[in-house]
Amino acid sequence: MKSSAMFQHRWMPLALAAPQLIIVFLFFFWPAWKAIWWSFHLVRPFGNDSVFVSVKNYLRILGDDSFYSSLQATLIFTAGSLVLAIFIAIVLAACAELNLRGRKIFRHLFIWPYAVAGAALGVILKFVMNPVLGPMAILNGIWPGFWTPHINGSEAMLMLIFAFAWTQVPFNFVIFVAALQTVPDDYLAAAAIDGAGPMRRFFDIQLPLIAPFVFFAAVINVIEAFTHSFGLIDTLTQGGPGGATNILVYKIFSDGFVGLDLSGSSTLSVIMMLCLVVLTTLQFLFFSDRMGYER
């Protein structure tokens, strides 16, 4: 009896994987290579010609104050959405693991928002957060000027952080629920016999044991904040007011497709990739050992 299946032809595994490999090449490797190539060239807005300019594009971007404003907004957005998404998800997962009536139903309900696209959520929140037409208008009626994200950059960033955290909570919730189910019941039962309540059992037993899963979710959330927040920004704030929410991924779009600065937007893309690599590496260096994550 054979222990594993064997293909009759050597090219068969490659042929089966070819569609996926072609998609990865066309939509990841080729654009990434093109961005690196254009970052060292001065490219005409409508193509047809390019001139090699060495690192002048990088010097121009790094000497632009708007880049540092965008980088600062990106870091604030990433940190805020990461903390909020992790905190809400871990609280919901801990509550879902308590022996409460209807917990299976809540598990399904908390996962459903993950199926909503970022742009669709942005359109919904644009009405909910509208200071004139939405529910927030009631608070503005009581306290005039209480909620004005269209002219207040801090409130616009807060709205964006809340919206993006909403998209990440379901994914984190699934991870944390699965992680909590790996905690041995004997540990929890022994702690309960010793008089430890749910809060004490969570902080002393469950949270340390699921720390590697929390670290994994944090890494994924950081990557998502850098790369998959465009739809929300475009529908909610479009980078405003005054560039307060013009984070790197949206600045790449606005510089390249609105300002027609293909060289500058390509350079920003490369810098954003480097920032992502640096942040992920720092996460692994500073937190992986402390949280017991095996590299």
Side-chain angles (χ1 to χ4, degrees), residues 124-135:
I124 296 171
L125 288 179
K126 194 168 187 177
F127 169 74
V128 174
M129 297 292 183
N130 192 297
V132 178
L133 301 176

Side-chain angles (χ1 to χ4, degrees), residues 13 15 19 26 28 31 50 59 105 109-110 119 199 219 221 259 292-293:
L26 288 178
F28 178 75
S50 62
L59 296 177
I105 297 175
L109 290 178
F110 291 147
M199 292 286 289
V219 172
N221 283 184
Y293 193 88

Side-chain angles (χ1 to χ4, degrees), residues 143-178:
W143 298 289
F146 174 79
W147 180 249
T148 54
H150 57 294
I151 59 173
N152 188 314
S154 299
E155 293 178 2
M157 178 60 78
L158 187 64
M159 177 175 64
L160 206 57
I161 288 173
F162 171 78
F164 189 74
W166 178 285
T167 65
Q168 298 303 302
V169 165
F171 173 79
N172 295 342
F173 175 76
V174 172
I175 298 294
F176 296 154
V177 166

Side-chain angles (χ1 to χ4, degrees), residues 45-129:
F46 301 101
N48 298 327
D49 195 13
S50 62
V51 179
F52 180 72
V53 294
S54 184
V55 295
K56 289 183 179 178
N57 287 328
Y58 289 91
L59 296 177
R60 176 166 62 90
I61 293 296
L62 295 176
D64 187 359
D65 291 338
S66 65
F67 164 71
Y68 295 101
S69 300
S70 178
L71 183 62
Q72 182 182 14
T74 304
L75 295 177
I76 294 173
F77 168 75
T78 303
S81 59
L82 171 66
V83 171
L84 192 60
I86 294 287
F87 175 75
I88 294 175
I90 207 165
V91 169
L92 291 177
C95 293
E97 283 306 298
L98 296 176
N99 190 20
L100 300 175
R101 181 180 298 177
R103 62 175 183 171
K104 292 184 179 179
I105 297 175
F106 286 115
R107 284 179 184 172
H108 291 288
L109 290 178
F110 291 147
I111 296 172
W112 284 358
Y114 196 59
V116 180
L121 178 64
V123 173
I124 296 171
L125 288 179
K126 194 168 187 177
F127 169 74
V128 174
M129 297 292 183

Side-chain angles (χ1 to χ4, degrees), residues 199-246:
M199 292 286 289
R200 184 68 181 274
R201 294 198 298 269
F202 176 75
F203 283 107
D204 288 353
I205 298 176
Q206 291 174 305
L207 188 57
L209 290 177
I210 68 169
F213 298 90
V214 177
F215 175 73
F216 167 75
V219 172
I220 297 298
N221 283 184
V222 168
I223 295 173
E224 290 284 315
F226 266 77
T227 57
H228 290 163
S229 53
F230 174 81
L232 275 177
I233 300 169
D234 194 49
T235 52
L236 278 176
T237 65
Q238 296 182 334
T245 60
N246 191 24

Side-chain angles (χ1 to χ4, degrees), residues 205-289:
I205 298 176
Q206 291 174 305
L207 188 57
L209 290 177
I210 68 169
F213 298 90
V214 177
F215 175 73
F216 167 75
V219 172
I220 297 298
N221 283 184
V222 168
I223 295 173
E224 290 284 315
F226 266 77
T227 57
H228 290 163
S229 53
F230 174 81
L232 275 177
I233 300 169
D234 194 49
T235 52
L236 278 176
T237 65
Q238 296 182 334
T245 60
N246 191 24
I247 70 173
L248 282 178
V249 68
Y250 197 77
K251 182 173 173 57
I252 291 171
F253 162 77
S254 57
D255 285 1
F257 293 93
V258 180
L260 298 179
D261 182 10
L262 298 181
S263 302
S265 63
S266 299
T267 307
L268 277 173
S269 301
V270 176
I271 293 175
M272 192 179 76
M273 283 192 290
L274 294 176
C275 289
L276 202 52
V277 170
V278 170
L279 278 177
T280 306
T281 304
L282 289 177
Q283 280 183 299
F284 271 92
L285 290 177
F286 285 100
F287 296 110
S288 60
D289 292 336

